[in-house]
């Protein structure tokens, strides 16, 4: 069977529809808040539409951004791992979202799906898909972690039984604050040694993915994009109404600091966007509206706050 050439148009159409679907569902879940839309253009080529909901009934901040940008040569963030692409023209199209609920018991979540094409002018272009979704709870609930990972597993299962463990492991290895080492262990076993502190409980992460061919790789990416709402909304529904006080809010803002640290220090998407001359407001929409850092703070032993690190931020086979 001949391979199908990569096309940006169908990917763009799907992603625009995905942004619409997710925004409508989040507005319905919030009940009060509405997304504000900014349509923007990029001087080097392309543009996008960024939608942000602030101070809703459920979401303190929610951002869902679509972008379709291109340029004459790739930035360093893209060529560090693929030096053979230096000097090629490129096109990138994607949807990225981050949700920050008011309630500390309701987790922050991030998702993105994207397509990248380089060297179309050469007649032998390089292309790939990437994406995934991950969950950042402030208070851990086993049923939420199991549900999240089973949804992730179900989404990619039709494309090969090896993909969920592979993409899950990639998420565990990617969403790590490497400048904050911590000891980890497997179950009740001895510590395995230092590892960067996990941002959350992971999910799916994949990049440079083209191994199924264009059509099937695109189907996989659609499956991941479409799975996000049925993975996240049941968890939000269980947690958004739980009573909380100043202690829980303090811990939420403290842990949000870790989210900021990861995005500004380690996230390749943030670096790519800034280095490629992207729209800063859209790139940094993922940051929470309020956050705090407390010098040398440690949770009380045995507390719910300590349980997050001890039981949820160590990689586990949740599914």
């Amino acid at each position: 069977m001949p391979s199908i050439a990569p096309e940006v148009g169908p990917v763009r159409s799907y992603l625009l529809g995905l942004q619409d679907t997710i925004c409508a569902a989040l507005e319905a879940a919030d009940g009060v808040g509405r997304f504000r839309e900014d349509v923007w253009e990029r001087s080097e080529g392309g543009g996008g539409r960024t939608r942000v909901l602030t101070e809703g009934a459920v979401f303190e901040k929610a951002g869902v951004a679509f972008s379709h940008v291109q340029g004459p040569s790739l930035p360093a963030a893209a060529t560090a791992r693929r030096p053979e692409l230096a000097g090629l023209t490129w096109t990138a199209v994607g949807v990225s979202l981050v949700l920050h609920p008011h309630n500390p018991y309701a987790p922050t979540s991030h998702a993105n799906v994207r397509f990248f094409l380089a060297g179309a002018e050469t007649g032998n272009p390089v292309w790939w898909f990437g994406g995934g979704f991950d969950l950042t709870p402030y208070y851990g609930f086993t049923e939420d972690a199991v549900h999240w990972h089973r949804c992730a597993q179900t989404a990619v299962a039709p494309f090969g039984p090896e993909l969920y463990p592979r993409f899950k492991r990639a998420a565990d290895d990617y969403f790590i604050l490497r400048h904050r080492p911590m000891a980890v262990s497997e179950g009740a076993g001895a510590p395995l040694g230092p590892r960067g502190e996990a941002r959350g409980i992971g999910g799916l992460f994949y990049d440079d993915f083209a191994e199924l061919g264009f059509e099937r790789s695109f189907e996989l990416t659609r499956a991941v994009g479409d799975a996000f709402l049925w993975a996240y909304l049941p968890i939000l529904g269980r947690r958004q109404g739980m009573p909380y006080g100043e202690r829980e809010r303090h811990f939420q803002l403290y842990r949000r600091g870790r989210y900021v640290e990861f995005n500004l220090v380690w996230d390749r998407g943030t670096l790519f966007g800034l280095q490629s001359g992207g729209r800063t407001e859209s790139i940094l929409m993922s940051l929470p509206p309020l956050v705090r850092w407390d010098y040398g703070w440690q949770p009380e032993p045995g507390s719910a706050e300590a349980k997050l690190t001890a039981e949820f931020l160590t990689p586990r086979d949740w599914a």
Side-chain angles (χ1 to χ4, degrees), residues 25 40-41 55 71 80-81 108 118 171 193 205 228 232 254 266 312:
W40 51 274
E41 295 184 357
E55 294 302 323
R81 293 163 56 243
T108 283
F205 179 79
F228 174 76
Y232 183 72
Y254 170 74
W266 297 106
F312 286 87

Side-chain angles (χ1 to χ4, degrees), residues 29-245:
D30 189 275
V32 173
R34 294 293 179 266
F35 281 95
R36 163 193 167 186
E37 179 177 276
D38 286 331
V39 177
W40 51 274
E41 295 184 357
R42 179 175 171 273
S43 60
E44 294 85 351
R49 60 186 195 189
T50 300
R51 294 175 178 172
V52 177
L53 182 159
T54 57
E55 294 302 323
V58 174
F59 295 109
E60 192 170 358
K61 183 182 180 184
V64 186
F66 165 85
S67 64
H68 181 184
V69 296
Q70 55 264 344
S73 63
L74 286 161
T79 59
R81 293 163 56 243
R82 300 285 294 268
E84 72 276 13
L85 301 182
L88 296 180
T89 62
W90 59 274
T91 297
V93 58
V95 163
S96 180
L97 68 90
V98 178
L99 310 178
H100 295 290
H102 285 286
N103 195 312
Y105 290 108
T108 283
S109 188
H110 156 263
N112 77 82
V113 284
R114 58 192 180 274
F115 175 67
F116 186 87
L117 176 69
E121 74 282 5
T122 67
N124 187 28
V126 176
W127 60 270
W128 65 78
F129 288 91
F133 48 70
D134 64 286
L135 197 70
T136 303
Y138 305 104
Y139 290 90
F141 296 91
T142 297
E143 65 176 317
D144 294 351
V146 170
H147 166 81
W148 181 258
H149 277 275
R150 285 183 177 169
C151 287
Q153 184 179 49
T154 300
V156 300
F159 304 90
E162 78 286 355
L163 291 185
Y164 168 71
R166 174 176 148 194
F167 292 172
K168 192 259 188 198
R169 183 169 58 253
D172 290 339
D173 291 341
Y174 181 71
F175 295 106
I176 291 290
L177 288 85
R178 304 187 187 281
H179 59 286
R180 291 187 178 274
M182 59 181 287
V184 296
S185 62
E186 286 189 353
L192 299 176
R195 171 188 172 92
E197 182 181 300
R199 188 172 84 172
I201 65 166
L204 300 172
F205 179 79
Y206 63 102
D207 203 3
D208 298 350
F209 190 88
E211 63 201 59
L212 299 180
F214 176 75
E215 188 172 62
R216 193 68 169 152
S217 297
F218 184 21
E219 288 179 14
L220 166 69
T221 296
R222 293 198 302 269
V224 171
D226 294 345
F228 174 76
L229 287 173
W230 52 267
Y232 183 72
L233 289 180
I235 297 172
L236 180 70
R238 284 195 290 266
R239 308 301 166 204
Q240 67 188 37
M242 292 180 65
Y244 67 91

Side-chain angles (χ1 to χ4, degrees), residues 292-317:
R292 64 182 296 156
W293 282 268
D294 295 305
Y295 180 79
W297 185 85
Q298 294 292 326
E300 179 183 338
S303 65
E305 292 79 13
K307 182 180 178 181
L308 176 72
T309 301
E311 299 185 20
F312 286 87
L313 299 188
T314 298
R316 290 173 54 183
D317 183 9

